[in-house]
Amino acid sequence: YLKISKLALAFAIIHSKPPGKSSKEYTEYLAKTVSEQDFGWKWKVEVLEAEVLRLRQELLLKRISPGFCLENRKQDTSAETLLGGESINPTSYSSQLEDSGCDVCNDSAFDSLGTASDFHQSEHYVNTSKHWLEGVPPLNLCNTSKEQSLIAPMHFLQRLLEIRKLSEGGILQADFSELENDSFTICNSVSQFLDGLTVFYNSPKFPAPSFLTEGVCVLSSLITDTKLSNHVLKKCFKKMEEFKKNLIQIILRNRSVNRFQALHSVSQMLGLLGRNNILRNSLISLLLLEVRQFAEQLLHARQVQSVYDITQYENIFLLCMILEQLLQNETEESNISNSDCGGEEKIKFLKNLDQIILHLSDEFPLFSLYLWRVSVLLNSGQMQ
């Protein structure tokens, strides 16, 4: 039947083709027409799915707190305001825009990795994020722009935090056990936001809009909130881990000439995630894994006198900087001997590290120095 159908279709195309066109040209034209129709239907389906998710979000918020009234809330903060305001140090991005990307000695561009300033500023973002929870615009997922696809789930997560804040103050009655009954909505909202961030950082635009940082801070606040973390984290932990892995791979695989401003932006995002105590250890483990594997590959390439990936060698230093800063924060904020920092990856990283450093130090002194500094931080708990 399938063969007969294909043959009948071929005869129909040949019989109906206009004069002056070959059968092949006419077939390609018909295929293009059908694919354009399919694209139109896919777009309509995406819009309808977005609208369904929006309705589910609002229904979930009503179930959590029936007294939460969207209509009576302030509307003085627009989506354009969120897109236009810059929370991240604007001078950092302006200086990067003037840079060709070949010079990596820009102090302001790498200040967040060389010092703890930007990491401490992230705490400021988390604290100040509470102020814009009072005036979030209505959800509008029907807008298909990349910005709106990120803003919409962020607003839903903001509203969860707002309800939590109001319920804590006794202004609203809220039942967060409803999150257990509708895991689809919370998972889809977080997944949509993280997927949107991944798409952005694969082909970023500069200066990066501030709502990216604000959204991650909102997500971080949800994870650390005692009443919300169990509902959010356990349903979205795998997605968070996948997101962190994607950001690390974006750093390692980026080969564009003017890539350093993009990589710096991704590094800042990883730094913000690392400020969260719940996410920090798993992020440190991922970074230790990548740095260790690259060190072993570099050692093997040197031993067999083969070529190594020079671009990945340049990019690995960003991971080393992030790793060093996270370990320093871990040491400063907690007793590292009691927090199994890095876990199994820490043991693998330290195993034979002295030999690796010894063999790489002559040819790769800077990378060897970073390996040694990381090892000192990992061992600092044992020296206490």
Side-chain angles (χ1 to χ4, degrees):
Y1 175 79
L2 183 60
K3 289 181 179 179
I4 293 174
S5 299
K6 288 180 177 180
L7 187 62
L9 177 62
F11 275 114
I13 291 174
I14 294 171
H15 181 73
S16 61
K17 72 179 183 68
K21 272 194 175 182
S22 66
S23 299
K24 181 180 179 181
E25 291 173 342
Y26 187 54
T27 303
E28 291 174 349
Y29 164 77
L30 291 176
K32 183 180 179 181
T33 303
V34 172
S35 65
E36 289 176 350
Q37 292 176 351
D38 287 344
F39 179 79
W41 280 109
K42 287 179 181 178
W43 180 82
K44 291 178 181 179
V45 169
E46 288 176 359
V47 171
L48 291 174
E49 287 177 344
E51 178 64 13
V52 169
L53 180 59
R54 182 190 70 82
L55 293 173
R56 291 187 68 127
Q57 288 172 339
E58 299 217 356
L59 180 61
L60 178 58
L61 292 175
K62 285 292 184 182
R63 286 177 175 173
I64 292 174
S65 179
F68 184 67
C69 183
L70 298 177
E71 291 78 9
N72 295 333
R73 295 165 69 245
K74 295 179 183 179
Q75 299 298 321
D76 58 336
T77 303
S78 64
E80 288 76 14
T81 304
L82 285 173
L83 284 169
E86 289 299 325
S87 293
I88 307 177
N89 185 358
T91 58
S92 174
Y93 282 110
S94 64
S95 60
Q96 291 176 68
L97 288 172
E98 297 169 1
D99 187 10
S100 67
C102 298
D103 182 6
V104 297
C105 297
N106 189 322
D107 293 336
S108 62
F110 288 89
D111 179 63
S112 64
L113 301 178
T115 67
S117 60
D118 283 6
F119 287 90
H120 291 301
Q121 285 175 10
S122 66
E123 293 178 341
H124 172 69
Y125 300 150
V126 175
N127 294 331
T128 55
S129 65
K130 296 176 182 178
H131 298 295
W132 22 271
L133 296 178
E134 300 174 357
V136 184
L139 294 173
N140 178 18
L141 288 176
C142 293
N143 190 326
T144 57
S145 68
K146 291 182 180 179
E147 290 82 1
Q148 186 65 30
S149 67
L150 282 166
I151 291 175
M154 185 183 77
H155 287 171
F156 169 67
L157 300 177
Q158 284 177 326
R159 287 175 178 181
L160 279 179
L161 274 181
E162 184 178 8
I163 292 176
R164 172 74 178 95
K165 181 181 177 183
L166 294 174
S167 65
E168 191 177 29
I171 301 174
L172 279 179
Q173 294 293 324
D175 180 15
F176 291 103
S177 63
E178 287 291 336
L179 290 172
E180 293 284 354
N181 303 325
D182 192 2
S183 60
F184 171 85
T185 301
I186 187 70
C187 288
N188 267 31
S189 300
V190 173
S191 295
Q192 187 183 65
F193 180 67
L194 295 180
D195 287 342
L197 284 176
T198 303
V199 170
F200 173 83
Y201 282 116
N202 270 311
S203 55
K205 299 176 182 178
F206 294 98
S210 62
F211 72 84
L212 300 180
T213 302
E214 293 166 352
V216 172
C217 290
V218 168
L219 191 58
S220 180
S221 297
L222 286 172
I223 291 173
T224 53
D225 189 286
T226 53
K227 283 196 175 182
L228 296 174
S229 60
N230 289 335
H231 304 290
V232 176
L233 188 61
K234 69 181 181 182
K235 294 179 177 66
C236 307
F237 184 77
K238 288 185 178 179
K239 190 67 182 181
M240 291 293 299
E241 290 298 291
E242 179 186 338
F243 175 63
K244 288 184 287 187
K245 290 177 182 178
N246 288 337
L247 291 185
I248 291 173
Q249 292 306 313
I250 287 173
I251 290 178
L252 288 176
R253 295 177 181 176
N254 195 317
R255 296 181 175 275
S256 63
V257 175
N258 296 317
R259 66 184 180 274
F260 295 106
Q261 59 178 342
L263 296 186
H264 170 68
S265 182
V266 181
S267 301
Q268 266 191 325
M269 188 61 63
L270 283 172
L272 286 175
L273 293 173
R275 293 296 295 172
N276 186 293
N277 293 330
I278 299 174
L279 302 176
R280 183 186 301 162
N281 273 356
S282 62
L283 179 55
I284 288 175
S285 294
L286 291 173
L287 293 171
L288 286 173
L289 172 64
E290 292 296 340
V291 174
R292 175 179 62 83
Q293 288 181 343
F294 182 79
E296 292 173 352
Q297 293 170 10
L298 199 61
L299 177 61
H300 177 73
R302 182 185 179 279
Q303 289 173 341
V304 300
Q305 297 297 312
S306 63
V307 296
Y308 63 93
D309 191 335
I310 184 63
T311 303
Q312 192 172 10
Y313 176 76
E314 293 173 348
N315 294 343
I316 200 71
F317 283 100
L318 278 171
L319 298 189
C320 292
M321 294 174 187
I322 300 167
L323 179 57
E324 183 180 8
Q325 187 63 64
L326 293 180
L327 291 173
Q328 286 177 349
N329 290 341
E330 181 74 12
T331 305
E332 294 169 0
E333 296 174 13
S334 64
N335 186 351
I336 195 168
S337 60
N338 293 329
S339 62
D340 186 18
C341 181
E344 184 180 348
E345 280 303 324
K346 170 185 174 181
I347 299 173
K348 292 180 180 179
F349 183 86
L350 294 175
K351 185 180 180 181
N352 300 325
L353 184 63
D354 290 340
Q355 291 297 318
I356 293 176
I357 293 175
L358 179 64
H359 288 91
L360 295 180
S361 58
D362 288 340
E363 193 171 350
F364 307 100
L366 183 58
F367 181 60
S368 300
L369 177 62
Y370 268 107
L371 292 177
W372 175 78
R373 287 164 63 166
V374 169
S375 69
V376 169
L377 289 169
L378 287 172
N379 285 320
S380 61
Q382 302 173 6
M383 293 186 293
Q384 293 177 356

